[in-house]
Amino acid sequence: MKKATKKEIAAIKALFLQHYSNAVTELHYRNAYELVIAVALSAQCTDKRVNLITPALFAAYPDVTTLATAKLDEVKALINTCSFFNNKAKNIIAMAQRVVSVYDGEIPMNEKELITLAGVGQKTANVVMIEYTGANLMAVDTHVFRVAHRLGLSDDETAAKTEATLVKKFKTNLHQLHQGFVLFGRYICTAKNPKCERECFVREFCKSTQSFKAK
Ligand code: SF4
């Protein structure tokens, strides 16, 4: 697949910033605790599903202190429509316990400490930082990966390498670009039948044959 030129990268960046200047996550949350839990649950699960699960979870465990002492089976029962709920239940309880014992009940808002929490990898930490603090970070999920490849911004095989490539190519406004790529991939440049002709505002830069198949 062809690679995007420097000029094309600049144009793609400008168009995404124009279309998604105020984009935020579609996960529902009211504070840092709820955001970390929602992002952790959203791995391999849709935001829609997570938003259906979290109201009851947060009603039962409104903060890290209550979640830290939760019974595993009760947490599992509340999140059992989410993929990998067994591990996720164990992780969010362990995460809450560490936040209580090490961080005095406050979610640490920096990547280094976030990734020490159970179930929080680099991508989850970056998503939390992007959303909560507007940090200049990129995180690559399935949508960002697909969009980056279709636009010739990356030919990397892994999400981690794609993230590094996008950081190198865009340098600034990474949090807005991340949010924009997620929404663009979710609603326009979808995996099947992307809306190339009707809704894509970067079609002229697309390197994917998908664009010719779309209706
Ligand atoms: S033209 Fe289609 S495949 Fe290409 S970026 Fe736009 S929506 Fe995605």
mmCIF file of all heavy atoms in Angstrom, residues 147 150-151 184 188-190 194-196 200-203 206-208 210-211 214, ligand 1:
data_model
loop_
_atom_site.group_PDB
_atom_site.id
_atom_site.type_symbol
_atom_site.label_atom_id
_atom_site.label_comp_id
_atom_site.label_asym_id
_atom_site.label_seq_id
_atom_site.Cartn_x
_atom_site.Cartn_y
_atom_site.Cartn_z
ATOM 1 N N VAL A 147 -7.810 2.943 10.455
ATOM 2 C CA VAL A 147 -7.808 4.245 9.776
ATOM 3 C C VAL A 147 -6.379 4.620 9.374
ATOM 4 O O VAL A 147 -6.133 5.064 8.245
ATOM 5 C CB VAL A 147 -8.435 5.332 10.695
ATOM 6 C CG1 VAL A 147 -8.217 6.719 10.120
ATOM 7 C CG2 VAL A 147 -9.918 5.053 10.910
ATOM 8 N N ARG A 150 -5.404 2.520 6.348
ATOM 9 C CA ARG A 150 -6.123 2.860 5.117
ATOM 10 C C ARG A 150 -5.661 4.200 4.544
ATOM 11 O O ARG A 150 -5.699 4.421 3.342
ATOM 12 C CB ARG A 150 -7.630 2.889 5.372
ATOM 13 C CG ARG A 150 -8.217 1.494 5.492
ATOM 14 C CD ARG A 150 -9.701 1.549 5.763
ATOM 15 N NE ARG A 150 -10.268 0.206 5.807
ATOM 16 C CZ ARG A 150 -11.513 -0.059 6.160
ATOM 17 N NH1 ARG A 150 -12.329 0.931 6.500
ATOM 18 N NH2 ARG A 150 -11.959 -1.302 6.156
ATOM 19 N N LEU A 151 -5.240 5.085 5.428
ATOM 20 C CA LEU A 151 -4.790 6.395 4.958
ATOM 21 C C LEU A 151 -3.292 6.413 4.640
ATOM 22 O O LEU A 151 -2.733 7.467 4.312
ATOM 23 C CB LEU A 151 -5.123 7.482 5.990
ATOM 24 C CG LEU A 151 -6.615 7.814 6.114
ATOM 25 C CD1 LEU A 151 -6.864 8.774 7.272
ATOM 26 C CD2 LEU A 151 -7.150 8.417 4.804
ATOM 27 N N PHE A 184 -14.062 8.437 13.785
ATOM 28 C CA PHE A 184 -14.073 8.265 12.325
ATOM 29 C C PHE A 184 -14.108 6.771 11.973
ATOM 30 O O PHE A 184 -14.858 6.334 11.102
ATOM 31 C CB PHE A 184 -12.817 8.930 11.749
ATOM 32 C CG PHE A 184 -12.691 8.842 10.258
ATOM 33 C CD1 PHE A 184 -13.508 9.595 9.422
ATOM 34 C CD2 PHE A 184 -11.731 8.015 9.670
ATOM 35 C CE1 PHE A 184 -13.376 9.517 8.033
ATOM 36 C CE2 PHE A 184 -11.585 7.938 8.297
ATOM 37 C CZ PHE A 184 -12.413 8.688 7.473
ATOM 38 N N ILE A 188 -17.537 6.081 10.300
ATOM 39 C CA ILE A 188 -17.385 6.368 8.867
ATOM 40 C C ILE A 188 -16.480 5.330 8.195
ATOM 41 O O ILE A 188 -16.899 4.605 7.300
ATOM 42 C CB ILE A 188 -16.835 7.805 8.654
ATOM 43 C CG1 ILE A 188 -17.816 8.836 9.230
ATOM 44 C CG2 ILE A 188 -16.601 8.064 7.154
ATOM 45 C CD1 ILE A 188 -17.342 10.278 9.184
ATOM 46 N N CYS A 189 -15.252 5.235 8.660
ATOM 47 C CA CYS A 189 -14.315 4.279 8.057
ATOM 48 C C CYS A 189 -14.436 2.943 8.801
ATOM 49 O O CYS A 189 -13.493 2.451 9.404
ATOM 50 C CB CYS A 189 -12.898 4.838 8.145
ATOM 51 S SG CYS A 189 -11.716 3.888 7.186
ATOM 52 N N THR A 190 -15.635 2.381 8.711
ATOM 53 C CA THR A 190 -15.929 1.149 9.445
ATOM 54 C C THR A 190 -15.218 -0.043 8.793
ATOM 55 O O THR A 190 -14.848 0.010 7.618
ATOM 56 C CB THR A 190 -17.452 0.909 9.426
ATOM 57 O OG1 THR A 190 -17.926 1.162 8.091
ATOM 58 C CG2 THR A 190 -18.161 1.864 10.358
ATOM 59 N N PRO A 194 -17.285 0.753 4.651
ATOM 60 C CA PRO A 194 -17.023 2.136 5.076
ATOM 61 C C PRO A 194 -17.824 3.119 4.215
ATOM 62 O O PRO A 194 -18.130 2.828 3.057
ATOM 63 C CB PRO A 194 -15.516 2.282 4.849
ATOM 64 C CG PRO A 194 -15.141 1.212 3.879
ATOM 65 C CD PRO A 194 -16.090 0.085 4.120
ATOM 66 N N LYS A 195 -18.148 4.261 4.818
ATOM 67 C CA LYS A 195 -19.019 5.222 4.118
ATOM 68 C C LYS A 195 -18.172 6.196 3.295
ATOM 69 O O LYS A 195 -18.190 7.412 3.526
ATOM 70 C CB LYS A 195 -19.876 5.953 5.140
ATOM 71 C CG LYS A 195 -20.771 4.985 5.906
ATOM 72 C CD LYS A 195 -21.544 5.653 7.008
ATOM 73 C CE LYS A 195 -22.376 4.645 7.772
ATOM 74 N NZ LYS A 195 -21.580 3.672 8.556
ATOM 75 N N CYS A 196 -17.439 5.629 2.356
ATOM 76 C CA CYS A 196 -16.462 6.404 1.596
ATOM 77 C C CYS A 196 -17.094 7.548 0.817
ATOM 78 O O CYS A 196 -16.654 8.685 0.911
ATOM 79 C CB CYS A 196 -15.730 5.487 0.630
ATOM 80 S SG CYS A 196 -15.013 4.061 1.450
ATOM 81 N N CYS A 200 -16.957 10.346 3.926
ATOM 82 C CA CYS A 200 -15.519 10.462 4.182
ATOM 83 C C CYS A 200 -14.961 11.801 3.695
ATOM 84 O O CYS A 200 -15.088 12.131 2.518
ATOM 85 C CB CYS A 200 -14.766 9.323 3.514
ATOM 86 S SG CYS A 200 -12.997 9.421 3.890
ATOM 87 N N PHE A 201 -14.343 12.530 4.603
ATOM 88 C CA PHE A 201 -13.773 13.847 4.254
ATOM 89 C C PHE A 201 -12.283 13.754 3.920
ATOM 90 O O PHE A 201 -11.634 14.770 3.684
ATOM 91 C CB PHE A 201 -14.027 14.857 5.390
ATOM 92 C CG PHE A 201 -13.542 14.372 6.736
ATOM 93 C CD1 PHE A 201 -12.231 14.582 7.121
ATOM 94 C CD2 PHE A 201 -14.400 13.700 7.598
ATOM 95 C CE1 PHE A 201 -11.783 14.127 8.360
ATOM 96 C CE2 PHE A 201 -13.953 13.248 8.831
ATOM 97 C CZ PHE A 201 -12.632 13.455 9.208
ATOM 98 N N VAL A 202 -11.719 12.552 3.950
ATOM 99 C CA VAL A 202 -10.301 12.388 3.575
ATOM 100 C C VAL A 202 -10.159 11.384 2.428
ATOM 101 O O VAL A 202 -9.112 10.785 2.243
ATOM 102 C CB VAL A 202 -9.442 11.943 4.789
ATOM 103 C CG1 VAL A 202 -9.147 13.095 5.716
ATOM 104 C CG2 VAL A 202 -10.084 10.787 5.548
ATOM 105 N N ARG A 203 -11.226 11.236 1.669
ATOM 106 C CA ARG A 203 -11.235 10.201 0.639
ATOM 107 C C ARG A 203 -10.102 10.388 -0.376
ATOM 108 O O ARG A 203 -9.520 9.424 -0.851
ATOM 109 C CB ARG A 203 -12.583 10.220 -0.080
ATOM 110 C CG ARG A 203 -12.704 9.024 -0.972
ATOM 111 C CD ARG A 203 -14.069 8.832 -1.546
ATOM 112 N NE ARG A 203 -13.980 7.661 -2.422
ATOM 113 C CZ ARG A 203 -14.653 7.523 -3.528
ATOM 114 N NH1 ARG A 203 -15.493 8.437 -3.901
ATOM 115 N NH2 ARG A 203 -14.497 6.447 -4.267
ATOM 116 N N CYS A 206 -7.053 8.500 0.633
ATOM 117 C CA CYS A 206 -7.181 7.088 1.001
ATOM 118 C C CYS A 206 -6.330 6.199 0.110
ATOM 119 O O CYS A 206 -6.295 6.366 -1.103
ATOM 120 C CB CYS A 206 -8.645 6.664 0.920
ATOM 121 S SG CYS A 206 -8.865 4.968 1.501
ATOM 122 N N LYS A 207 -5.651 5.238 0.747
ATOM 123 C CA LYS A 207 -4.790 4.314 -0.011
ATOM 124 C C LYS A 207 -5.419 2.924 -0.052
ATOM 125 O O LYS A 207 -4.813 1.974 -0.521
ATOM 126 C CB LYS A 207 -3.416 4.200 0.678
ATOM 127 C CG LYS A 207 -2.745 5.539 0.963
ATOM 128 C CD LYS A 207 -2.188 6.162 -0.300
ATOM 129 C CE LYS A 207 -1.414 7.428 -0.006
ATOM 130 N NZ LYS A 207 -2.248 8.641 -0.079
ATOM 131 N N SER A 208 -6.612 2.801 0.471
ATOM 132 C CA SER A 208 -7.222 1.484 0.594
ATOM 133 C C SER A 208 -8.133 1.168 -0.571
ATOM 134 O O SER A 208 -8.877 2.022 -1.036
ATOM 135 C CB SER A 208 -8.040 1.425 1.887
ATOM 136 O OG SER A 208 -8.833 0.277 1.894
ATOM 137 N N GLN A 210 -10.584 -0.550 -0.172
ATOM 138 C CA GLN A 210 -11.915 -0.536 0.442
ATOM 139 C C GLN A 210 -12.753 0.618 -0.103
ATOM 140 O O GLN A 210 -13.958 0.507 -0.257
ATOM 141 C CB GLN A 210 -11.796 -0.320 1.957
ATOM 142 C CG GLN A 210 -11.378 -1.530 2.728
ATOM 143 C CD GLN A 210 -12.508 -2.529 2.864
ATOM 144 O OE1 GLN A 210 -13.669 -2.166 2.726
ATOM 145 N NE2 GLN A 210 -12.161 -3.755 3.097
ATOM 146 N N SER A 211 -12.085 1.712 -0.360
ATOM 147 C CA SER A 211 -12.822 2.912 -0.763
ATOM 148 C C SER A 211 -13.564 2.703 -2.079
ATOM 149 O O SER A 211 -14.554 3.349 -2.340
ATOM 150 C CB SER A 211 -11.881 4.105 -0.883
ATOM 151 O OG SER A 211 -10.890 3.818 -1.833
ATOM 152 N N ALA A 214 -16.902 0.484 -1.385
ATOM 153 C CA ALA A 214 -17.959 0.977 -0.519
ATOM 154 C C ALA A 214 -19.137 1.535 -1.277
ATOM 155 O O ALA A 214 -19.015 2.035 -2.379
ATOM 156 C CB ALA A 214 -17.391 2.061 0.383
HETATM 157 S S1 SF4 B 1 -12.308 6.483 1.579
HETATM 158 FE FE1 SF4 B 1 -13.381 4.900 2.764
HETATM 159 S S2 SF4 B 1 -11.794 3.403 3.349
HETATM 160 FE FE2 SF4 B 1 -10.765 5.324 2.747
HETATM 161 S S3 SF4 B 1 -10.473 6.489 4.626
HETATM 162 FE FE3 SF4 B 1 -12.405 7.177 3.733
HETATM 163 S S4 SF4 B 1 -13.992 5.883 4.666
HETATM 164 FE FE4 SF4 B 1 -12.003 4.911 5.050
#
